[in-house]
Amino acid sequence: MTDAPEHAVLQLAVLVGSLRAQSFSRKIAKALAARAPDSVRCRFVEIGELPLYNEDLDGDSPPATWATFRAAIRECDAVLFVTPEYNRSIPGCLKNALDVGSRPSGKSVFKGLPAGVVSVSPGKIGAFGSNQALRQTFVFLDMPVMQQPEAYIGSVAELLDDKGAVTNADTAAFLENFMAGLESWIRRVHPGGSSFDAFMKQREKIAEDYVNGDPTSLKAIVTHAGPATFFSPRGDHLEGAEAVAGRYERDAASFHRGGSTDLEVLQASASGDLAFWTGLQHAKTRMGRNGEATEMTLRVTEVFRLEDGGFKLVHRHADPVH
Ligand SMILES: Cc1cc2nc3c(=O)[nH]c(=O)nc-3n(C[C@H](O)[C@H](O)[C@H](O)COP(=O)(O)O)c2cc1C
């Protein structure tokens, strides 16, 4: 979708399959992150606080930690799993994170994301069983996974000092080589991948919240710093970050629950600090005093600027297509 700049920084989610403080897997994950190429930003996404997946909780207001986890993965281009082995398979906490991210049905945040796997064990066979079990889940999650190099870190206790630093030069070189290989493989299988692609998946969800009367998620991506403009479907326009942010909030209040929306992106691009998309927004909403069902299609252009590492909405133009 996006003409990604050649050296756009890849956002790599790192999921660690162990919750214990002195986890060898986390130490190896940190060693990998420290050896990532400059063009890869590793983001440790925590899984320890996610309640066990229960479909009954996954309605209109799922647990906040699930929403935060899903949003974090949506912002990333790829996922690196660093995991121990429990009883020849993956630890329950990691399986739970996969289950949480994969639902609701049709809205999996993992779908299509490239994955890398590193398995870790104090034992000699390097958690081979968990490495393979994890790969099995990628079939249904629809995640392409790097095949080579494979990474089974065995006898891990002998490779680290008491501060968690890798003492073995061959292992250090292997980890560095793994990260370089992972980056070039991700860029090969996912050439359009950029953080803006990931952001646009999130944008669609934010639009859905908005047409259900909830401006909270939009508020988080609206600029509060710089110049901002909004050309509204009513034909008027506003300038200034605070004025525009306030207007979005007020307009959201005109929608009742029960709305839905799709963004039909006709063109999108990101370059340096700026990004845009243009296309059609199809919405089914419930508006007015009685919540009457209304269908509308808007012709939309939105411009975003990177602020504090995230895309912020600085311009929106929307007019109705008749
Ligand atoms: C419930 C449980 C099951 C385990 N099963 C295996 C196993 O199948 N294979 C293995 O190599 N190690 C197994 N171990 C040992 C772990 O490899 C070891 O505890 C390791 O340090 C856990 O990873 P961490 O240091 O990242 O927490 C198991 C540990 C636990 C707690």
Side-chain angles (χ1 to χ4, degrees):
M1 177 176 73
T2 320
D3 301 328
E6 212 167 303
H7 297 295
V9 171
L10 276 178
Q11 308 285 334
L12 182 65
V14 181
L15 298 193
V16 178
S18 169
L19 307 182
R20 68 186 194 97
Q22 291 306 317
S23 159
F24 291 122
S25 307
R26 184 169 292 271
K27 287 171 184 164
I28 291 293
K30 284 186 180 163
L32 285 157
R35 288 166 178 80
D38 290 345
S39 44
V40 175
R41 191 172 301 142
C42 290
R43 175 169 173 185
F44 283 71
V45 180
E46 298 305 329
I47 63 173
E49 301 294 321
L50 299 173
L52 284 180
Y53 188 73
N54 174 349
E55 224 170 334
D56 293 345
L57 305 180
D58 212 0
D60 287 340
S61 50
T65 47
W66 290 1
T68 306
F69 174 74
R70 289 165 175 164
I73 300 293
R74 264 194 223 105
E75 286 170 13
C76 294
D77 299 310
V79 187
L80 171 62
F81 294 88
V82 185
T83 184
E85 178 174 87
Y86 277 10
N87 299 310
R88 295 284 179 258
S89 188
I90 57 174
C93 61
L94 184 56
K95 182 61 167 53
N96 185 51
L98 290 172
D99 295 342
V100 168
S102 71
R103 295 277 143 167
S105 180
K107 302 225 162 163
S108 169
V109 295
F110 290 119
K111 188 176 170 57
L113 284 191
V117 180
V118 176
S119 57
V120 178
S121 175
K124 288 211 167 28
I125 51 179
F128 175 86
S130 88
N131 194 308
Q132 300 303 312
L134 185 54
R135 285 165 190 270
Q136 191 183 321
T137 68
F138 298 150
V139 178
F140 195 66
L141 289 168
D142 198 10
M143 297 176 81
V145 56
M146 182 168 78
Q147 304 293 351
Q148 294 294 332
E150 295 160 270
Y152 309 99
I153 311 294
S155 305
V156 65
E158 294 157 33
L159 305 173
L160 301 167
D161 68 16
D162 52 6
K163 292 204 175 70
V166 176
T167 50
N168 179 293
D170 288 347
T171 306
F174 174 80
L175 298 181
E176 187 166 338
N177 183 48
F178 181 90
M179 291 307 278
L182 184 62
E183 184 196 9
S184 54
W185 174 78
I186 292 168
R187 291 195 189 276
R188 217 166 49 242
V189 295
H190 196 41
S194 77
S195 53
F196 188 55
D197 281 324
F199 172 80
M200 280 302 294
K201 285 195 233 162
Q202 190 192 348
R203 177 70 190 94
E204 185 135 28
K205 166 78 172 68
I206 291 168
E208 184 100 9
D209 289 346
Y210 194 79
V211 300
N212 279 282
D214 178 3
T216 327
S217 56
L218 181 69
K219 221 166 144 184
I221 61 150
V222 169
T223 184
H224 286 276
T229 42
F230 174 42
F231 291 75
S232 94
R234 288 179 224 155
D236 61 326
H237 80 273
L238 284 96
E239 286 178 50
E242 291 314 316
V244 170
R247 172 67 177 273
Y248 287 142
E249 198 157 355
R250 280 195 303 282
D251 283 2
S254 55
F255 297 111
H256 299 257
R257 292 180 84 87
S260 65
T261 188
D262 282 313
L263 304 183
E264 185 183 339
V265 177
L266 298 175
Q267 207 184 354
S269 185
S271 178
D273 279 358
L274 291 175
F276 81 94
W277 75 273
T278 186
L280 299 173
Q281 178 168 7
H282 306 281
K284 290 182 184 163
T285 60
R286 297 192 169 277
M287 299 179 79
R289 208 175 285 162
N290 303 319
E292 287 145 34
T294 316
E295 284 197 30
M296 61 177 115
T297 296
L298 300 170
R299 184 170 27 219
V300 174
T301 299
E302 289 185 340
V303 179
F304 301 88
R305 189 176 46 230
L306 271 178
E307 286 171 17
D308 302 327
F311 285 107
K312 293 286 151 58
L313 180 61
V314 294
H315 169 80
R316 175 175 163 94
H317 169 218
D319 66 274
V321 177
H322 297 291

